[in-house]
Amino acid sequence: LTNYPVLDERLLALYDRLTGAGYDQDHLQAFSRLFTAICRAAFPMMWEPKYKHRTRILEREFHDDLHARLITDTELGGRVERGTPLALGFLDVRHDKITAELKVERRTPVTKETAPKYIGQPTQYASADGARLSILCVLDMTSNVCPVGTPENYVFELTPELHGLTNPEAPSLVVAIVINVGNPPPSSRSRRKTPVRDSQPAASREEGTGK
């Protein structure tokens, strides 16, 4: 699917799980095609000189670049819409009634905890198309002290609350992909202290302190 085998495994597991979750099959197929194409196009951006450290990319440039890559992806068959009016707004990307909303973040690193501020928009667009699946794609241009991880770390699912519903019969789902750009050359991290995670299990730490 992509150039990243572990990411491929995660995508296949996601699509397999969604297959038995009651989603419209045409929407599910379109979602799988579009999300895979976005992963295929977007993750290489992380290491391209155009998106290197201290380079400022306008949101319009990001939109143009990603759209140009998607429109040439043979799996999408050229069916990539842009700027189509829908749900009182205008779509960033749509493929066979599946919407992908594109954002650029410059202040706060994008995580599963911070991304929900963006998911209302793709959810509303999807609802207007009668779809429960949508995509959020965020170009993270925030300054990074730590090196970025492998792509599978930056794909996650978000379930938005829906107006007037506490337990919806047909819940919506937004699947997010975060593209971390603005990375410095590896040599710039030499002799610079990188924070280290404490990976020792809690039980072992307690044993070591005599507790």
Side-chain angles (χ1 to χ4, degrees):
L1 300 180
T2 69
N3 289 323
Y4 308 95
V6 178
L7 175 61
D8 289 351
E9 291 179 11
R10 182 162 183 178
L11 294 182
L12 291 172
L14 168 65
Y15 302 154
D16 184 60
R17 188 167 65 254
L18 295 180
T19 298
Y23 293 98
D24 178 272
Q25 286 302 303
D26 288 340
H27 290 165
L28 179 56
Q29 291 293 326
F31 168 83
S32 302
R33 286 193 300 270
L34 181 57
F35 193 74
T36 300
I38 289 176
C39 290
R40 202 159 40 228
F43 280 125
M45 292 179 178
M46 294 170 58
W47 312 114
E48 293 179 4
K50 177 179 179 179
Y51 292 93
K52 67 182 180 180
H53 185 50
R54 299 189 184 283
T55 300
R56 182 174 178 81
I57 300 293
L58 299 177
E59 187 161 326
R60 174 55 60 182
E61 292 178 284
F62 168 50
H63 285 218
D64 291 344
D65 194 359
L66 186 59
H67 181 263
R69 298 173 192 230
L70 294 177
I71 203 71
T72 60
D73 193 304
T74 57
E75 295 294 324
L76 301 180
R79 301 187 305 280
V80 181
E81 301 176 47
R82 182 184 186 188
T84 306
L86 184 72
L88 305 178
F90 297 89
L91 301 174
D92 289 341
V93 172
R94 181 168 65 170
H95 166 69
D96 293 351
K97 293 192 174 182
I98 295 298
T99 295
E101 184 66 20
L102 311 182
K103 296 293 182 185
V104 173
E105 176 59 54
R106 305 181 192 279
R107 296 182 180 179
T108 306
V110 183
T111 65
K112 192 171 184 178
E113 290 69 39
T114 64
K117 65 181 179 180
Y118 295 122
I119 64 175
Q121 201 169 351
T123 302
Q124 180 164 321
Y125 284 134
S127 295
D129 253 338
R132 295 164 53 200
L133 295 166
S134 59
I135 297 166
L136 170 66
C137 179
V138 186
L139 188 76
D140 187 334
M141 298 195 69
T142 59
S143 177
N144 57 62
V145 175
C146 302
V148 299
T150 49
E152 63 269 18
N153 290 286
Y154 303 104
V155 171
F156 47 85
E157 302 164 46
L158 298 165
T159 305
E161 291 189 4
L162 302 177
H163 177 69
L165 301 172
T166 55
N167 187 25
E169 180 180 344
S172 295
L173 179 70
V174 180
V175 182
I177 169 177
V178 181
I179 314 162
N180 295 282
V181 296
N183 294 293
S187 58
S188 71
R189 297 193 185 278
S190 178
R191 304 179 190 277
R192 180 188 298 178
K193 184 178 180 180
T194 297
V196 177
R197 296 179 64 244
D198 183 1
S199 57
Q200 186 179 15
S204 298
R205 289 199 301 270
E206 292 178 359
E207 289 173 5
T209 57
K211 294 182 180 180

PDB file of all heavy atoms in Angstrom, residues 124-156:
ATOM      1  N   GLN A 124     -19.055  17.273   9.493  1.00  0.00           N
ATOM      2  CA  GLN A 124     -20.216  17.943   8.903  1.00  0.00           C
ATOM      3  C   GLN A 124     -20.264  17.750   7.395  1.00  0.00           C
ATOM      4  O   GLN A 124     -21.322  17.497   6.818  1.00  0.00           O
ATOM      5  CB  GLN A 124     -20.204  19.432   9.241  1.00  0.00           C
ATOM      6  CG  GLN A 124     -21.402  20.187   8.657  1.00  0.00           C
ATOM      7  CD  GLN A 124     -21.605  21.552   9.287  1.00  0.00           C
ATOM      8  OE1 GLN A 124     -21.430  21.711  10.499  1.00  0.00           O
ATOM      9  NE2 GLN A 124     -21.965  22.536   8.491  1.00  0.00           N
ATOM     10  N   TYR A 125     -19.100  17.869   6.735  1.00  0.00           N
ATOM     11  CA  TYR A 125     -19.059  17.639   5.296  1.00  0.00           C
ATOM     12  C   TYR A 125     -19.501  16.213   4.965  1.00  0.00           C
ATOM     13  O   TYR A 125     -20.283  15.993   4.032  1.00  0.00           O
ATOM     14  CB  TYR A 125     -17.642  17.864   4.759  1.00  0.00           C
ATOM     15  CG  TYR A 125     -17.237  19.308   4.631  1.00  0.00           C
ATOM     16  CD1 TYR A 125     -15.993  19.747   5.091  1.00  0.00           C
ATOM     17  CD2 TYR A 125     -18.070  20.240   4.025  1.00  0.00           C
ATOM     18  CE1 TYR A 125     -15.605  21.072   4.960  1.00  0.00           C
ATOM     19  CE2 TYR A 125     -17.685  21.564   3.889  1.00  0.00           C
ATOM     20  CZ  TYR A 125     -16.461  21.974   4.362  1.00  0.00           C
ATOM     21  OH  TYR A 125     -16.072  23.284   4.230  1.00  0.00           O
ATOM     22  N   ALA A 126     -19.004  15.247   5.728  1.00  0.00           N
ATOM     23  CA  ALA A 126     -19.360  13.853   5.478  1.00  0.00           C
ATOM     24  C   ALA A 126     -20.854  13.622   5.658  1.00  0.00           C
ATOM     25  O   ALA A 126     -21.502  12.940   4.853  1.00  0.00           O
ATOM     26  CB  ALA A 126     -18.559  12.936   6.406  1.00  0.00           C
ATOM     27  N   SER A 127     -21.416  14.203   6.712  1.00  0.00           N
ATOM     28  CA  SER A 127     -22.848  14.030   6.974  1.00  0.00           C
ATOM     29  C   SER A 127     -23.691  14.550   5.826  1.00  0.00           C
ATOM     30  O   SER A 127     -24.717  13.958   5.475  1.00  0.00           O
ATOM     31  CB  SER A 127     -23.222  14.744   8.272  1.00  0.00           C
ATOM     32  OG  SER A 127     -22.577  14.151   9.382  1.00  0.00           O
ATOM     33  N   ALA A 128     -23.267  15.659   5.237  1.00  0.00           N
ATOM     34  CA  ALA A 128     -24.020  16.221   4.105  1.00  0.00           C
ATOM     35  C   ALA A 128     -23.988  15.295   2.896  1.00  0.00           C
ATOM     36  O   ALA A 128     -24.883  15.351   2.042  1.00  0.00           O
ATOM     37  CB  ALA A 128     -23.445  17.584   3.735  1.00  0.00           C
ATOM     38  N   ASP A 129     -22.982  14.432   2.832  1.00  0.00           N
ATOM     39  CA  ASP A 129     -22.881  13.451   1.744  1.00  0.00           C
ATOM     40  C   ASP A 129     -23.500  12.116   2.132  1.00  0.00           C
ATOM     41  O   ASP A 129     -23.450  11.157   1.366  1.00  0.00           O
ATOM     42  CB  ASP A 129     -21.400  13.230   1.385  1.00  0.00           C
ATOM     43  CG  ASP A 129     -21.027  13.882   0.058  1.00  0.00           C
ATOM     44  OD1 ASP A 129     -21.927  14.125  -0.762  1.00  0.00           O
ATOM     45  OD2 ASP A 129     -19.838  14.141  -0.159  1.00  0.00           O
ATOM     46  N   GLY A 130     -24.036  12.037   3.358  1.00  0.00           N
ATOM     47  CA  GLY A 130     -24.600  10.778   3.832  1.00  0.00           C
ATOM     48  C   GLY A 130     -23.547   9.768   4.213  1.00  0.00           C
ATOM     49  O   GLY A 130     -23.817   8.564   4.273  1.00  0.00           O
ATOM     50  N   ALA A 131     -22.326  10.249   4.492  1.00  0.00           N
ATOM     51  CA  ALA A 131     -21.222   9.356   4.827  1.00  0.00           C
ATOM     52  C   ALA A 131     -20.865   9.481   6.303  1.00  0.00           C
ATOM     53  O   ALA A 131     -20.964  10.554   6.893  1.00  0.00           O
ATOM     54  CB  ALA A 131     -19.999   9.684   3.973  1.00  0.00           C
ATOM     55  N   ARG A 132     -20.459   8.378   6.895  1.00  0.00           N
ATOM     56  CA  ARG A 132     -20.056   8.373   8.300  1.00  0.00           C
ATOM     57  C   ARG A 132     -18.542   8.375   8.461  1.00  0.00           C
ATOM     58  O   ARG A 132     -18.030   8.506   9.577  1.00  0.00           O
ATOM     59  CB  ARG A 132     -20.634   7.140   8.991  1.00  0.00           C
ATOM     60  CG  ARG A 132     -22.153   7.132   9.072  1.00  0.00           C
ATOM     61  CD  ARG A 132     -22.686   5.738   9.392  1.00  0.00           C
ATOM     62  NE  ARG A 132     -22.043   5.175  10.584  1.00  0.00           N
ATOM     63  CZ  ARG A 132     -22.026   3.872  10.854  1.00  0.00           C
ATOM     64  NH1 ARG A 132     -22.607   3.020  10.025  1.00  0.00           N
ATOM     65  NH2 ARG A 132     -21.436   3.431  11.953  1.00  0.00           N
ATOM     66  N   LEU A 133     -17.824   8.236   7.373  1.00  0.00           N
ATOM     67  CA  LEU A 133     -16.369   8.197   7.400  1.00  0.00           C
ATOM     68  C   LEU A 133     -15.791   9.457   6.773  1.00  0.00           C
ATOM     69  O   LEU A 133     -16.272   9.917   5.736  1.00  0.00           O
ATOM     70  CB  LEU A 133     -15.845   6.982   6.627  1.00  0.00           C
ATOM     71  CG  LEU A 133     -16.189   5.609   7.198  1.00  0.00           C
ATOM     72  CD1 LEU A 133     -15.915   4.533   6.145  1.00  0.00           C
ATOM     73  CD2 LEU A 133     -15.387   5.331   8.463  1.00  0.00           C
ATOM     74  N   SER A 134     -14.777  10.020   7.407  1.00  0.00           N
ATOM     75  CA  SER A 134     -14.080  11.168   6.832  1.00  0.00           C
ATOM     76  C   SER A 134     -12.629  11.154   7.287  1.00  0.00           C
ATOM     77  O   SER A 134     -12.233  10.366   8.154  1.00  0.00           O
ATOM     78  CB  SER A 134     -14.760  12.485   7.224  1.00  0.00           C
ATOM     79  OG  SER A 134     -14.802  12.634   8.633  1.00  0.00           O
ATOM     80  N   ILE A 135     -11.834  12.053   6.713  1.00  0.00           N
ATOM     81  CA  ILE A 135     -10.392  12.059   6.930  1.00  0.00           C
ATOM     82  C   ILE A 135      -9.935  13.445   7.364  1.00  0.00           C
ATOM     83  O   ILE A 135     -10.407  14.461   6.830  1.00  0.00           O
ATOM     84  CB  ILE A 135      -9.653  11.648   5.644  1.00  0.00           C
ATOM     85  CG1 ILE A 135     -10.024  10.206   5.251  1.00  0.00           C
ATOM     86  CG2 ILE A 135      -8.145  11.781   5.787  1.00  0.00           C
ATOM     87  CD1 ILE A 135      -9.607   9.823   3.833  1.00  0.00           C
ATOM     88  N   LEU A 136      -9.033  13.493   8.316  1.00  0.00           N
ATOM     89  CA  LEU A 136      -8.371  14.731   8.723  1.00  0.00           C
ATOM     90  C   LEU A 136      -6.885  14.560   8.442  1.00  0.00           C
ATOM     91  O   LEU A 136      -6.261  13.601   8.907  1.00  0.00           O
ATOM     92  CB  LEU A 136      -8.586  15.002  10.213  1.00  0.00           C
ATOM     93  CG  LEU A 136      -7.758  16.139  10.814  1.00  0.00           C
ATOM     94  CD1 LEU A 136      -8.174  17.481  10.217  1.00  0.00           C
ATOM     95  CD2 LEU A 136      -7.888  16.161  12.333  1.00  0.00           C
ATOM     96  N   CYS A 137      -6.299  15.473   7.682  1.00  0.00           N
ATOM     97  CA  CYS A 137      -4.882  15.433   7.356  1.00  0.00           C
ATOM     98  C   CYS A 137      -4.254  16.748   7.806  1.00  0.00           C
ATOM     99  O   CYS A 137      -4.631  17.819   7.314  1.00  0.00           O
ATOM    100  CB  CYS A 137      -4.694  15.236   5.856  1.00  0.00           C
ATOM    101  SG  CYS A 137      -2.966  15.187   5.324  1.00  0.00           S
ATOM    102  N   VAL A 138      -3.325  16.675   8.765  1.00  0.00           N
ATOM    103  CA  VAL A 138      -2.726  17.882   9.335  1.00  0.00           C
ATOM    104  C   VAL A 138      -1.231  17.923   9.057  1.00  0.00           C
ATOM    105  O   VAL A 138      -0.506  16.967   9.360  1.00  0.00           O
ATOM    106  CB  VAL A 138      -2.955  17.970  10.856  1.00  0.00           C
ATOM    107  CG1 VAL A 138      -2.446  19.313  11.383  1.00  0.00           C
ATOM    108  CG2 VAL A 138      -4.422  17.780  11.202  1.00  0.00           C
ATOM    109  N   LEU A 139      -0.781  19.025   8.478  1.00  0.00           N
ATOM    110  CA  LEU A 139       0.639  19.275   8.294  1.00  0.00           C
ATOM    111  C   LEU A 139       1.141  19.959   9.563  1.00  0.00           C
ATOM    112  O   LEU A 139       0.792  21.106   9.843  1.00  0.00           O
ATOM    113  CB  LEU A 139       0.866  20.169   7.077  1.00  0.00           C
ATOM    114  CG  LEU A 139       2.318  20.366   6.649  1.00  0.00           C
ATOM    115  CD1 LEU A 139       2.837  19.123   5.934  1.00  0.00           C
ATOM    116  CD2 LEU A 139       2.465  21.583   5.737  1.00  0.00           C
ATOM    117  N   ASP A 140       1.928  19.249  10.347  1.00  0.00           N
ATOM    118  CA  ASP A 140       2.429  19.762  11.621  1.00  0.00           C
ATOM    119  C   ASP A 140       3.764  20.457  11.383  1.00  0.00           C
ATOM    120  O   ASP A 140       4.782  19.807  11.141  1.00  0.00           O
ATOM    121  CB  ASP A 140       2.581  18.608  12.611  1.00  0.00           C
ATOM    122  CG  ASP A 140       2.928  19.082  14.019  1.00  0.00           C
ATOM    123  OD1 ASP A 140       3.525  20.178  14.147  1.00  0.00           O
ATOM    124  OD2 ASP A 140       2.613  18.367  14.981  1.00  0.00           O
ATOM    125  N   MET A 141       3.753  21.795  11.469  1.00  0.00           N
ATOM    126  CA  MET A 141       4.960  22.581  11.252  1.00  0.00           C
ATOM    127  C   MET A 141       5.506  23.141  12.558  1.00  0.00           C
ATOM    128  O   MET A 141       6.306  24.074  12.556  1.00  0.00           O
ATOM    129  CB  MET A 141       4.673  23.710  10.256  1.00  0.00           C
ATOM    130  CG  MET A 141       4.256  23.242   8.886  1.00  0.00           C
ATOM    131  SD  MET A 141       4.356  24.542   7.641  1.00  0.00           S
ATOM    132  CE  MET A 141       6.130  24.758   7.504  1.00  0.00           C
ATOM    133  N   THR A 142       5.073  22.595  13.681  1.00  0.00           N
ATOM    134  CA  THR A 142       5.561  23.069  14.968  1.00  0.00           C
ATOM    135  C   THR A 142       7.018  22.666  15.168  1.00  0.00           C
ATOM    136  O   THR A 142       7.490  21.681  14.610  1.00  0.00           O
ATOM    137  CB  THR A 142       4.713  22.505  16.122  1.00  0.00           C
ATOM    138  OG1 THR A 142       4.757  21.074  16.096  1.00  0.00           O
ATOM    139  CG2 THR A 142       3.262  22.950  15.990  1.00  0.00           C
ATOM    140  N   SER A 143       7.718  23.452  15.974  1.00  0.00           N
ATOM    141  CA  SER A 143       9.118  23.158  16.268  1.00  0.00           C
ATOM    142  C   SER A 143       9.223  21.855  17.053  1.00  0.00           C
ATOM    143  O   SER A 143       8.505  21.655  18.034  1.00  0.00           O
ATOM    144  CB  SER A 143       9.721  24.305  17.078  1.00  0.00           C
ATOM    145  OG  SER A 143      11.052  24.029  17.432  1.00  0.00           O
ATOM    146  N   ASN A 144      10.087  20.960  16.615  1.00  0.00           N
ATOM    147  CA  ASN A 144      10.220  19.689  17.319  1.00  0.00           C
ATOM    148  C   ASN A 144      11.564  19.573  18.014  1.00  0.00           C
ATOM    149  O   ASN A 144      12.613  19.686  17.394  1.00  0.00           O
ATOM    150  CB  ASN A 144       9.958  18.497  16.397  1.00  0.00           C
ATOM    151  CG  ASN A 144      10.854  18.468  15.186  1.00  0.00           C
ATOM    152  OD1 ASN A 144      12.073  18.364  15.296  1.00  0.00           O
ATOM    153  ND2 ASN A 144      10.253  18.546  14.010  1.00  0.00           N
ATOM    154  N   VAL A 145      11.518  19.367  19.318  1.00  0.00           N
ATOM    155  CA  VAL A 145      12.720  19.160  20.115  1.00  0.00           C
ATOM    156  C   VAL A 145      13.185  17.722  19.968  1.00  0.00           C
ATOM    157  O   VAL A 145      14.381  17.442  19.903  1.00  0.00           O
ATOM    158  CB  VAL A 145      12.445  19.490  21.601  1.00  0.00           C
ATOM    159  CG1 VAL A 145      13.666  19.159  22.455  1.00  0.00           C
ATOM    160  CG2 VAL A 145      12.054  20.950  21.758  1.00  0.00           C
ATOM    161  N   CYS A 146      12.231  16.817  19.899  1.00  0.00           N
ATOM    162  CA  CYS A 146      12.527  15.394  19.775  1.00  0.00           C
ATOM    163  C   CYS A 146      12.422  14.962  18.310  1.00  0.00           C
ATOM    164  O   CYS A 146      11.666  15.552  17.534  1.00  0.00           O
ATOM    165  CB  CYS A 146      11.543  14.565  20.605  1.00  0.00           C
ATOM    166  SG  CYS A 146      11.523  14.994  22.362  1.00  0.00           S
ATOM    167  N   PRO A 147      13.163  13.946  17.905  1.00  0.00           N
ATOM    168  CA  PRO A 147      13.020  13.425  16.545  1.00  0.00           C
ATOM    169  C   PRO A 147      11.647  12.786  16.363  1.00  0.00           C
ATOM    170  O   PRO A 147      11.070  12.270  17.312  1.00  0.00           O
ATOM    171  CB  PRO A 147      14.138  12.385  16.441  1.00  0.00           C
ATOM    172  CG  PRO A 147      14.426  11.992  17.853  1.00  0.00           C
ATOM    173  CD  PRO A 147      14.182  13.203  18.688  1.00  0.00           C
ATOM    174  N   VAL A 148      11.136  12.828  15.141  1.00  0.00           N
ATOM    175  CA  VAL A 148       9.820  12.245  14.874  1.00  0.00           C
ATOM    176  C   VAL A 148       9.930  10.726  14.807  1.00  0.00           C
ATOM    177  O   VAL A 148      11.003  10.168  14.557  1.00  0.00           O
ATOM    178  CB  VAL A 148       9.213  12.783  13.557  1.00  0.00           C
ATOM    179  CG1 VAL A 148       9.015  14.276  13.634  1.00  0.00           C
ATOM    180  CG2 VAL A 148      10.081  12.403  12.362  1.00  0.00           C
ATOM    181  N   GLY A 149       8.805  10.060  15.042  1.00  0.00           N
ATOM    182  CA  GLY A 149       8.760   8.610  14.994  1.00  0.00           C
ATOM    183  C   GLY A 149       8.387   8.106  13.611  1.00  0.00           C
ATOM    184  O   GLY A 149       8.263   8.877  12.655  1.00  0.00           O
ATOM    185  N   THR A 150       8.165   6.821  13.506  1.00  0.00           N
ATOM    186  CA  THR A 150       7.777   6.215  12.239  1.00  0.00           C
ATOM    187  C   THR A 150       6.304   6.522  11.940  1.00  0.00           C
ATOM    188  O   THR A 150       5.531   6.844  12.847  1.00  0.00           O
ATOM    189  CB  THR A 150       8.007   4.697  12.268  1.00  0.00           C
ATOM    190  OG1 THR A 150       7.428   4.166  13.476  1.00  0.00           O
ATOM    191  CG2 THR A 150       9.495   4.389  12.259  1.00  0.00           C
ATOM    192  N   PRO A 151       5.900   6.469  10.662  1.00  0.00           N
ATOM    193  CA  PRO A 151       4.572   6.931  10.256  1.00  0.00           C
ATOM    194  C   PRO A 151       3.398   6.321  11.011  1.00  0.00           C
ATOM    195  O   PRO A 151       2.393   7.013  11.245  1.00  0.00           O
ATOM    196  CB  PRO A 151       4.520   6.564   8.772  1.00  0.00           C
ATOM    197  CG  PRO A 151       5.934   6.618   8.330  1.00  0.00           C
ATOM    198  CD  PRO A 151       6.719   6.079   9.493  1.00  0.00           C
ATOM    199  N   GLU A 152       3.486   5.033  11.388  1.00  0.00           N
ATOM    200  CA  GLU A 152       2.325   4.414  12.032  1.00  0.00           C
ATOM    201  C   GLU A 152       1.952   5.071  13.354  1.00  0.00           C
ATOM    202  O   GLU A 152       0.830   4.917  13.845  1.00  0.00           O
ATOM    203  CB  GLU A 152       2.564   2.912  12.233  1.00  0.00           C
ATOM    204  CG  GLU A 152       3.713   2.551  13.136  1.00  0.00           C
ATOM    205  CD  GLU A 152       5.023   2.386  12.396  1.00  0.00           C
ATOM    206  OE1 GLU A 152       5.144   2.869  11.255  1.00  0.00           O
ATOM    207  OE2 GLU A 152       5.943   1.767  12.987  1.00  0.00           O
ATOM    208  N   ASN A 153       2.889   5.841  13.928  1.00  0.00           N
ATOM    209  CA  ASN A 153       2.589   6.560  15.168  1.00  0.00           C
ATOM    210  C   ASN A 153       1.630   7.721  14.948  1.00  0.00           C
ATOM    211  O   ASN A 153       1.029   8.219  15.912  1.00  0.00           O
ATOM    212  CB  ASN A 153       3.879   7.121  15.780  1.00  0.00           C
ATOM    213  CG  ASN A 153       4.777   6.052  16.331  1.00  0.00           C
ATOM    214  OD1 ASN A 153       4.505   5.480  17.372  1.00  0.00           O
ATOM    215  ND2 ASN A 153       5.871   5.767  15.630  1.00  0.00           N
ATOM    216  N   TYR A 154       1.509   8.169  13.711  1.00  0.00           N
ATOM    217  CA  TYR A 154       0.776   9.396  13.437  1.00  0.00           C
ATOM    218  C   TYR A 154      -0.510   9.168  12.653  1.00  0.00           C
ATOM    219  O   TYR A 154      -0.988  10.046  11.937  1.00  0.00           O
ATOM    220  CB  TYR A 154       1.702  10.375  12.706  1.00  0.00           C
ATOM    221  CG  TYR A 154       2.955  10.658  13.515  1.00  0.00           C
ATOM    222  CD1 TYR A 154       4.174  10.074  13.168  1.00  0.00           C
ATOM    223  CD2 TYR A 154       2.901  11.461  14.645  1.00  0.00           C
ATOM    224  CE1 TYR A 154       5.313  10.304  13.932  1.00  0.00           C
ATOM    225  CE2 TYR A 154       4.039  11.701  15.413  1.00  0.00           C
ATOM    226  CZ  TYR A 154       5.236  11.119  15.053  1.00  0.00           C
ATOM    227  OH  TYR A 154       6.360  11.343  15.816  1.00  0.00           O
ATOM    228  N   VAL A 155      -1.068   7.989  12.811  1.00  0.00           N
ATOM    229  CA  VAL A 155      -2.392   7.660  12.261  1.00  0.00           C
ATOM    230  C   VAL A 155      -3.267   7.211  13.421  1.00  0.00           C
ATOM    231  O   VAL A 155      -2.890   6.308  14.159  1.00  0.00           O
ATOM    232  CB  VAL A 155      -2.289   6.542  11.201  1.00  0.00           C
ATOM    233  CG1 VAL A 155      -3.675   6.044  10.799  1.00  0.00           C
ATOM    234  CG2 VAL A 155      -1.535   7.036   9.963  1.00  0.00           C
ATOM    235  N   PHE A 156      -4.409   7.851  13.602  1.00  0.00           N
ATOM    236  CA  PHE A 156      -5.283   7.472  14.711  1.00  0.00           C
ATOM    237  C   PHE A 156      -6.737   7.813  14.392  1.00  0.00           C
ATOM    238  O   PHE A 156      -7.028   8.616  13.506  1.00  0.00           O
ATOM    239  CB  PHE A 156      -4.844   8.141  16.022  1.00  0.00           C
ATOM    240  CG  PHE A 156      -4.544   9.614  15.904  1.00  0.00           C
ATOM    241  CD1 PHE A 156      -5.547  10.564  15.986  1.00  0.00           C
ATOM    242  CD2 PHE A 156      -3.230  10.050  15.733  1.00  0.00           C
ATOM    243  CE1 PHE A 156      -5.269  11.915  15.886  1.00  0.00           C
ATOM    244  CE2 PHE A 156      -2.941  11.402  15.630  1.00  0.00           C
ATOM    245  CZ  PHE A 156      -3.966  12.340  15.714  1.00  0.00           C
TER     246      PHE A 156
END
